[in-house]
Amino acid sequence: MAISDADAESIVEEIRRATRLQAPELKFSGAFVGSKNGTRRPILSGLLAPGGALHGRASVYLIDKHYFVVAKLIDLFVEEKLYKQGRDIRGSGQARKMARSLFTEGPRALGAPLFDRLLASTVAFTSQKNRDQRVTPDDFFDVIEQAWTRSHRRNVTDTLALLRTTRQEATEYVRDAFEPNGTLPQALEPLIPAVRAVTEIWSRKLGRVNMLVDDQRALTDVNLDDIETDIRDRGHPEFRYLSRGLHLGHLRRGKSVEHPSLQLADLLSGAGYAVAERHAGVPNPAGDDLHSAVVPLIDQMSMLPHDEPAKVAQPGAPSVTSRTG
């Protein structure tokens, strides 16, 4: 949501008057979900539609978590191995092609149960819950080996053949992610890459932007620093082109009860989630009612990022707020 708190406050008050809501904080889940709130949803649709107060200020970034896990398989292990060999499969687009192929063809190549087991094993091995290392590299690679043996589609087989050779990278991942001095942020937390992606979307539209993100447990100081380092191109010099054209002013987090802009972002996020559920076949009255208003806001880049944070904006830099549902 590209909007300042000052502009957002008047829109929040407009919504309150139209819906007769008295709660101190606007929440999509409390005000716009279910059949009983059907009369309120046209108000939100009207704000997002052409001519509405939020038209042109709203964007939805949608992550398919299954694809996210498949992409992490490539990112954490295959990409890392080939990078050591001087190959940049991220910049060439090969990493994305590999991930998409494994995601789309994997269930047919392996059978749905084994493909699901591969994803579950990836999550179990790489998630923060595995700090005690109950799922070992041996456990993880047993599943990869079974998948490679069973695969009967060339693209999938070739990708799994590469994964079979990444045991060293998996061992290094355990060290970097779980040991006391580990430096790797939560690899399976989609909020972290999502904040960067949202920054990129708005920066390419507006130029230099200030980002205010909702106060979420995953967005720690360390993770925000990592996101900012990535956006500001302080990471691998070989990947400098990935940040070309991105212009970040400030990256801050705040509490939605204190920031009307975050409350509007919450409404948009909730609407996006409801529409995604509808698309997945989950009966959802809110998704039905908001579908036509929200679908045009799903960005084409999408699948398938302290004190008074909203008031530190530099002159000329639009303020963008981000909220997750």
Side-chain angles (χ1 to χ4, degrees), residues 100-151:
R100 286 187 180 274
S101 177
L102 181 57
F103 177 69
T104 56
E105 299 180 35
R108 285 178 291 176
L110 310 179
L114 181 54
F115 181 74
D116 289 345
R117 188 179 171 203
L118 177 64
L119 297 193
S121 178
T122 303
V123 172
F125 178 64
T126 59
S127 73
Q128 290 294 298
K129 293 180 180 179
N130 196 33
R131 282 188 173 276
D132 59 3
Q133 296 178 41
R134 291 186 180 181
V135 181
T136 66
D138 286 343
D139 298 329
F140 179 49
F141 279 90
D142 281 347
V143 179
I144 292 176
E145 192 72 20
Q146 291 176 39
W148 174 75
T149 303
R150 285 273 301 277
S151 176

Side-chain angles (χ1 to χ4, degrees), residues 6-23:
D7 288 345
E9 186 172 10
S10 63
I11 298 173
V12 167
E13 290 306 313
E14 177 185 341
I15 295 173
R16 289 186 185 283
R17 286 193 298 272
T19 59
R20 300 182 181 180
L21 290 169
Q22 301 298 320

Side-chain angles (χ1 to χ4, degrees), residues 25-236:
E25 182 179 0
L26 286 184
K27 292 279 192 180
F28 183 85
S29 59
F32 293 92
V33 171
S35 55
K36 67 177 182 180
N37 289 321
T39 57
R40 291 173 172 169
R41 290 192 282 270
I43 296 168
L44 182 56
S45 293
L47 290 170
L48 296 170
L54 297 178
H55 182 66
R57 290 176 158 181
S59 176
V60 174
Y61 186 75
L62 181 64
I63 293 178
D64 183 311
K65 289 186 178 180
H66 292 88
Y67 177 83
F68 182 73
V69 172
V70 171
K72 281 298 177 182
L73 255 179
I74 307 303
D75 176 43
L76 294 174
F77 307 118
V78 175
E79 185 179 335
E80 187 70 17
K81 179 183 180 67
L82 297 182
Y83 175 73
K84 294 174 184 175
Q85 300 173 1
R87 295 174 58 187
D88 175 16
I89 65 170
R90 185 181 182 187
S92 68
Q94 187 179 355
R96 173 173 288 190
K97 183 179 178 180
M98 203 177 293
R100 286 187 180 274
S101 177
L102 181 57
F103 177 69
T104 56
E105 299 180 35
R108 285 178 291 176
L110 310 179
L114 181 54
F115 181 74
D116 289 345
R117 188 179 171 203
L118 177 64
L119 297 193
S121 178
T122 303
V123 172
F125 178 64
T126 59
S127 73
Q128 290 294 298
K129 293 180 180 179
N130 196 33
R131 282 188 173 276
D132 59 3
Q133 296 178 41
R134 291 186 180 181
V135 181
T136 66
D138 286 343
D139 298 329
F140 179 49
F141 279 90
D142 281 347
V143 179
I144 292 176
E145 192 72 20
Q146 291 176 39
W148 174 75
T149 303
R150 285 273 301 277
S151 176
H152 55 82
R153 297 181 76 89
R154 180 176 178 180
N155 288 340
V156 175
T157 304
D158 290 348
T159 298
L160 292 171
L162 273 173
L163 276 168
R164 293 176 71 230
T165 69
T166 61
R167 187 178 293 266
Q168 179 181 341
E169 285 68 35
T171 302
E172 292 170 354
Y173 173 83
V174 170
R175 178 197 66 204
D176 293 340
F178 302 139
E179 290 188 1
N181 295 324
T183 58
L184 196 68
Q186 296 103 306
L188 288 189
E189 176 48 69
L191 269 180
I192 297 172
V195 170
R196 186 199 185 283
V198 170
T199 303
E200 180 177 1
I201 289 168
W202 283 107
S203 179
R204 297 199 191 285
K205 290 178 180 178
L206 303 176
R208 188 172 184 271
V209 296
N210 296 312
M211 292 293 295
L212 172 66
V213 297
D214 190 37
D215 187 12
Q216 297 275 347
R217 182 180 301 175
L219 296 178
T220 63
D221 289 342
V222 171
N223 287 339
L224 284 180
D225 286 344
D226 287 336
I227 294 167
E228 189 171 358
T229 294
D230 187 31
I231 293 172
R232 294 189 190 284
D233 186 28
R234 299 185 192 134
H236 294 298

